[in-house]
Amino acid sequence: MANASNNRFKRGRAKSAALFLFWGHFMKFTSAAIATCLAATPALADLAAEQVLADQLNLLTFGGHADASTTATIPGPSGLKVEGYVIRIDDGDEDPVEIHLGGVQLHEPGDGTVHIIYPNAFPITVRTADPDADLEEMTVTVLFDGMSHTVSGDPDDIRHAISFRRMEFDDLTMVPDTDLPENLDTEFSLTDTAAIIQLSDRSPLRRDGSLDIGNLILRMALTDPPTEGEFSDLTELDAQIELSNLRSQFGYAETTIPEYTLDLSFDHFLWKQLMSGGDLDRMDLAMAAQNFALAFDVAMSFEDLEDDFIGALASGQRLTAQTSYDSMSMDMAVDAPDGAFRSVSEAGQTTADLAFDRTGFKMAMESYDNSAVIDIPADPFIPFSNLSYQIAYNMLDFDLPLQPGDAPQPFKLKFALSGVEMAEDIWSLFDPTGLLPRDPAELNLDIEGTTVIETDPFEQTNNDVPFRNTKAQLKDLRISLAGTELTATGDAEDFSTGDEFAGNATLNARLTGVNTLLDTLVGMGLLPEDQAMGARMMIGMVARQTEGEDTLTSTIEVNQDGSVIANGQRIR
């Protein structure tokens, strides 16, 4: 019974997903929604309605994956009337699908441009030839307010400028019509939308554009629980997606190595979903993001990378990406027969950068105020009911050169965690009386240096190391946990010329609180006395007591002859 209920719900979700299919096809048909062009640029050449129609039909083939045609065209004194469009998708693996679009007017105002005039109500119908399909036909009407679509340029370099105050879906019908309950309210609307699409077939072929959306709303709600049909197992449903102030620019160039670019941002995103019935007593979900941005620039051939990875990067192939947001959060609460579950996670200001090009591999990330809290139902086999953590700050900065060459190249590795805290339930598993300090943990690592790359790092056929004459500096190492703190600095240099290692290194370290920690662990019964004694003896071999009873320092030197000296005493 539960599987049948889940299958019905999945089919219901598939029907709502069909709305997005309609939207995708429609946006491709209209060249997607447009940017508030500051001022219309004069056309470089005259365009005729027949040329714009040919361009439309080419677009509606979706890159050759479909066949597109008109139901009829009627020439006029100042343009062309298109009665309708038919798109047939048949990949040979599944039954063909037909998409029928309403008609438009292609008007020639006499200034070399063509205006595409849409009716205020624009119908779209999708049909399948499969008589056994759950959904045989779906029709929706797209309502426009303030729609403007101007086409300019040359036949081989066409520019679409589209804008509208509002667009929404209306009069959604399905065959069979019993699949959609009458009390299911749906809304899909876009406001203050504008876009520019530039389609150039010149050499190199280019596809460039921009898309701005003031607000996007997608909502589905049951106003009254149905007693039969696809949604009869639900007692409550209210789902909504909101997106505000989307701004984007995108591009494609069909050069020797195809280039793809994207620069996208939005101010606010929210996904809320409340649902009850079926296998769930209740589920309440909320996801949000503020001031999100994403950009990438990609020019790569996977075949070239496979044949000659370093050569491909040296030729200029690349991948760069950046993303950032001010905040991101998720809150999910589930009431089920086995009990209540809730997960809440938050992330503060975050930035991330990635670069993979002729200079090497670089990755940088920085994030503030990350946290998560998970409450799970009580269970006799699980000794805790709460899992949580907080990380006040974390960062990663990694830079590794890849191109072989005779000159030293810089590298670095930086990593930091600070303000790391975890739930008391977890501490209590091994320290129920609170003897161990709960101070926030910290970790910091900072290494920089230079190296000479003798050979291609990706073409190593044996155990040879491609890096030579490496010089590294440990600028900072700091670990703070459970009342102890380890800090260290140092440097190292590699003189190896063959399989045998040759080099020298120095490490200066300071350790505090370790004796107190060992005593506490022994008192808690987590560490036997003899093992604690062995640990103290090992530490005493490389460290000496200074600045108090629980502060140890050490200077360890590794010399070119292979000798190891700790605090002036040779130990190897």
Side-chain angles (χ1 to χ4, degrees):
M1 188 66 180
N3 289 335
S5 172
N6 289 337
N7 290 336
R8 287 198 301 271
F9 182 61
K10 289 177 181 177
R11 290 199 297 270
R13 289 190 298 181
K15 294 176 180 58
S16 63
L19 290 172
F20 294 99
L21 173 65
F22 278 127
W23 174 239
H25 289 311
F26 175 73
M27 290 304 285
K28 290 178 182 178
F29 165 66
T30 58
S31 304
I34 7 293
T36 53
C37 291
L38 302 178
T41 55
L44 300 177
D46 289 350
L47 276 177
E50 290 78 4
Q51 294 169 323
V52 172
L53 176 60
D55 177 65
Q56 283 185 318
L57 293 176
N58 180 53
L59 287 175
L60 291 174
T61 64
F62 308 139
H65 297 288
D67 296 323
S69 61
T70 62
T71 57
T73 58
I74 303 174
S78 60
L80 191 65
K81 179 180 180 181
V82 180
E83 295 287 347
Y85 301 81
V86 179
I87 307 166
R88 182 178 174 83
I89 303 173
D90 186 1
D91 59 7
D93 296 330
E94 299 180 359
D95 291 304
V97 174
E98 284 190 354
I99 304 173
H100 294 253
L101 307 175
V104 298
Q105 292 273 359
L106 303 180
H107 175 62
E108 300 172 354
D111 60 358
T113 67
V114 174
H115 294 183
I116 303 179
I117 303 173
Y118 298 82
N120 290 334
F122 185 87
I124 304 177
T125 300
V126 174
R127 297 192 183 103
T128 178
D130 183 6
D132 299 324
D134 289 338
L135 183 62
E136 300 174 18
E137 180 178 302
M138 174 184 280
T139 298
V140 67
T141 300
V142 182
L143 303 180
F144 290 113
D145 178 17
M147 177 65 168
S148 172
H149 185 169
T150 301
V151 187
S152 60
D154 293 322
D156 62 349
D157 190 8
I158 289 181
R159 180 179 186 270
H160 293 259
I162 311 167
S163 64
F164 50 82
R165 287 188 295 272
R166 183 177 178 84
M167 187 219 76
E168 61 180 303
F169 283 177
D170 192 25
D171 294 335
L172 176 65
T173 60
M174 296 182 180
V175 176
D177 57 7
T178 55
D179 289 340
L180 196 64
E182 295 181 358
N183 56 355
L184 179 64
D185 285 345
T186 60
E187 178 185 357
F188 188 11
S189 65
L190 295 172
T191 58
D192 300 326
T193 300
I196 298 295
I197 308 292
Q198 190 84 28
L199 308 172
S200 175
D201 292 330
R202 298 171 181 173
S203 182
L205 181 146
R206 293 194 62 90
R207 300 289 186 259
D208 299 292
S210 63
L211 171 63
D212 296 347
I213 299 175
N215 287 284
L216 178 151
I217 296 178
L218 174 60
R219 185 170 182 265
M220 178 183 295
L222 281 171
T223 57
D224 191 33
T227 57
E228 60 182 14
E230 293 291 338
F231 293 81
S232 59
D233 57 337
L234 295 179
T235 57
E236 193 174 17
L237 174 63
D238 192 346
Q240 181 167 320
I241 294 176
E242 298 178 5
L243 182 67
S244 63
N245 293 328
L246 171 72
R247 299 165 295 277
S248 66
Q249 293 182 328
F250 48 88
Y252 165 76
E254 199 175 69
T255 50
T256 304
I257 303 299
E259 299 180 7
Y260 303 86
T261 59
L262 174 69
D263 190 345
L264 176 149
S265 66
F266 57 78
D267 289 353
H268 171 73
F269 170 81
L270 176 64
W271 175 15
K272 296 176 62 178
Q273 181 169 322
L274 175 63
M275 184 173 66
S276 61
D279 295 332
L280 295 175
D281 293 340
R282 183 183 178 91
M283 183 186 75
D284 196 348
L285 171 68
M287 297 179 62
Q290 305 291 334
N291 294 326
F292 176 88
L294 171 67
F296 63 72
D297 179 0
V298 180
M300 278 192 169
S301 165
F302 290 104
E303 293 181 357
D304 291 349
L305 292 173
E306 185 176 349
D307 293 340
D308 183 2
F309 192 93
I310 294 299
L313 294 180
S315 70
Q317 298 193 34
R318 65 191 181 278
L319 183 157
T320 62
Q322 304 86 37
T323 187
S324 65
Y325 52 82
D326 282 354
S327 66
M328 192 172 292
S329 63
M330 185 186 76
D331 187 345
M332 182 174 66
V334 177
D335 292 335
D338 295 334
F341 168 89
R342 187 177 184 188
S343 174
V344 180
S345 60
E346 296 181 354
Q349 189 174 40
T350 299
T351 59
D353 295 90
L354 175 69
F356 204 21
D357 54 26
R358 59 166 55 113
T359 64
F361 177 65
K362 301 177 182 179
M363 181 169 58
M365 184 275 294
E366 190 173 42
S367 186
Y368 295 84
D369 300 325
N370 289 265
S371 64
V373 178
I374 301 175
D375 295 317
I376 61 177
D379 190 304
F381 299 102
I382 300 178
F384 52 82
S385 60
N386 174 268
L387 293 171
S388 66
Y389 71 84
Q390 295 181 12
I391 302 176
Y393 174 74
N394 66 96
M395 66 84 70
L396 172 67
D397 192 358
F398 180 77
D399 188 347
L400 178 67
L402 297 174
Q403 290 290 340
D406 296 331
Q409 301 182 58
F411 68 87
K412 65 180 176 181
L413 172 60
K414 297 181 179 182
F415 179 76
L417 284 173
S418 64
V420 181
E421 302 180 59
M422 63 181 181
E424 183 60 31
D425 279 13
I426 304 301
W427 278 108
S428 297
L429 292 177
F430 52 86
D431 184 21
T433 58
L435 294 178
L436 293 174
R438 294 337 192 218
D439 299 338
E442 295 191 16
L443 169 62
N444 193 69
L445 175 66
D446 187 352
I447 299 175
E448 291 186 359
T450 60
T451 188
V452 175
I453 305 178
E454 289 189 335
T455 57
D456 186 342
F458 296 92
E459 294 294 332
Q460 300 300 306
T461 58
N462 49 40
N463 294 327
D464 289 345
V465 178
F467 307 103
R468 291 287 184 264
N469 298 328
T470 301
K471 297 180 180 180
Q473 180 182 10
L474 177 61
K475 301 178 69 176
D476 185 28
L477 170 64
R478 182 161 53 90
I479 303 174
S480 177
L481 177 66
T484 65
E485 182 179 63
L486 170 66
T487 59
T489 59
D491 55 70
E493 189 170 2
D494 174 28
F495 305 113
S496 303
T497 56
D499 295 336
E500 294 295 327
F501 169 78
N504 55 46
T506 302
L507 178 69
N508 300 300
R510 183 174 184 271
L511 179 62
T512 62
V514 66
N515 287 317
T516 300
L517 176 61
L518 292 173
D519 291 338
T520 302
L521 293 176
V522 170
M524 294 168 57
L526 297 178
L527 183 68
E529 180 66 46
D530 58 336
Q531 294 185 15
M533 181 63 69
R536 288 188 173 95
M537 292 178 63
M538 292 181 61
I539 295 174
M541 293 177 61
V542 296
R544 56 189 175 185
Q545 183 174 308
T546 59
E547 306 175 24
E549 296 183 357
D550 207 358
T551 299
L552 302 172
T553 60
S554 180
T555 298
I556 299 177
E557 301 170 82
V558 178
N559 298 314
Q560 191 170 349
D561 60 4
S563 63
V564 179
I565 298 175
N567 302 315
Q569 181 178 353
R570 182 167 180 163
I571 59 176
R572 177 182 173 184

